[in-house]
Amino acid sequence: MSVKKDSTSSNTTESNPKGRFLKLLLASIFFIGAGVVFVYCGYFAFKQYRAYKYSIAIPTQVSYDKIRSEDLDVLKDASILYCLKETIPFSDQDNKQLRYDWVAGLQKFMDSQDVPNKSNVVFNGNSLIPLMVKHYSAESYEFLKGKIVGIKAIAVSQKSGHDVADILLEIENAPDLEVSLIKDTADGHWKLDWPQFVRYQSENWNEFFAGKGPEVASFRVYAVREKAYEDNDNYGLVLYKARPNGVEAINQISPPVTVTKKTKAGTDFYKALKLYEFSQEDKTRVFEQFDDKNWMRMQCKIIRIPDINNPGKFLFKISEIIDMGWDGIKEKPEEFVL
């Protein structure tokens, strides 16, 4: 009897370490699994809280004027609603008189057949007279090709301290007119943004790209990125001449144009590309930086450089992006003309 008892006691003693190890292993697995579940649940709850926080928060609106003056990191802020203009609420019903004044002002501009009378209803008109004289010496005066049927779209906004009304006018049996009217703080009247309306260019497009005239010129253009013309140091673009207001025509295309990346112009262009990603739903985009074909609108200075590898040929580079969009809201209008 004593022999059997000793044998059983010995077996029990030998099996206890194995049991304790198994229990310890199972406990470790349990606690590790519980920890993973806890961390996952915490992460999921944090994501839900952050989504809820953003859903109830009113995003900060940032216009392109501010983005141009900030570092590139401003484009990474998910709480910012990127927009091309700070739009002001506008009620059609409450502003019938204002709508009438806008159309009447444009009608007066179109009916005037000399520069002095036109300049009276143009924003910064006195400063723009030299440019208007130069423009109309080569171009005919504007006239309405049909009756104004109504206003198809309105975007009232602020830029550079001025109230701006961008309107799309429907014309009977003719293409729409895209018009910007600026409220003059001096007399309170809404006046035509003339450079935007006529798509003013400082030089002749065809002559400049053919190698004639000044080596530097400013243009209002549609810009389309073309990666085939890019390298490590330059963005590549093709530019299209801004077509006349109210004209449905094929734009004249430029030779390849580059903009150096590590310059202010290159940084501005990069910001414009990034801004495009955030501005798909912007209600003012038809009047601003991107039109309905997603072409980028730009005012820029272009340098023409002789191509040393191809005598008689030229290379073209953007030296400055004057502004994104085509408006002419400048305190000194001569700044955008060479």
Side-chain angles (χ1 to χ4, degrees), residues 263-275:
T263 62
K264 186 178 184 304
T267 300
D268 284 345
F269 182 71
Y270 175 79
K271 288 181 180 181
L273 292 174
K274 295 297 291 183
L275 179 62

Side-chain angles (χ1 to χ4, degrees), residues 147-292:
K147 181 182 177 181
I148 298 177
V149 176
I151 297 178
K152 295 179 68 174
I154 300 175
V156 182
S157 57
Q158 288 185 332
K159 185 169 183 179
S160 302
H162 296 284
D163 290 345
V164 181
D166 291 309
I167 61 179
L168 198 63
L169 285 173
E170 183 178 359
I171 310 299
E172 187 177 46
N173 299 321
D176 297 336
L177 278 178
E178 183 182 323
V179 181
S180 287
L181 296 163
I182 305 166
K183 190 173 184 179
D184 195 329
T185 54
D187 58 20
H189 293 157
W190 290 83
K191 298 182 178 180
L192 182 70
D193 181 351
W194 180 80
Q196 179 274 342
F197 185 80
V198 301
R199 284 58 160 132
Y200 181 81
Q201 314 286 21
S202 71
E203 298 297 332
N204 181 281
W205 174 278
N206 291 328
E207 291 182 358
F208 176 79
F209 285 105
K212 302 177 182 178
E215 295 179 352
V216 183
S218 62
F219 292 102
R220 283 172 167 78
V221 300
Y222 292 106
V224 179
R225 188 179 182 186
E226 181 52 74
K227 293 186 178 181
Y229 303 134
E230 295 187 358
D231 54 35
N232 292 334
D233 300 319
N234 297 282
Y235 295 111
L237 303 91
V238 169
L239 306 181
Y240 293 79
K241 180 183 178 183
R243 53 180 170 264
N245 207 341
V247 173
E248 292 181 351
I250 298 175
N251 303 72
Q252 299 175 32
I253 188 172
S254 76
V257 177
T258 59
V259 54
T260 304
K261 294 179 180 179
K262 294 182 179 179
T263 62
K264 186 178 184 304
T267 300
D268 284 345
F269 182 71
Y270 175 79
K271 288 181 180 181
L273 292 174
K274 295 297 291 183
L275 179 62
Y276 173 69
E277 298 176 8
F278 300 103
S279 63
Q280 299 295 313
E281 302 301 324
D282 196 300
K283 294 180 180 179
T284 67
R285 69 193 300 265
V286 68
F287 304 109
E288 265 294 300
Q289 181 181 349
F290 309 102
D291 77 346
D292 55 350

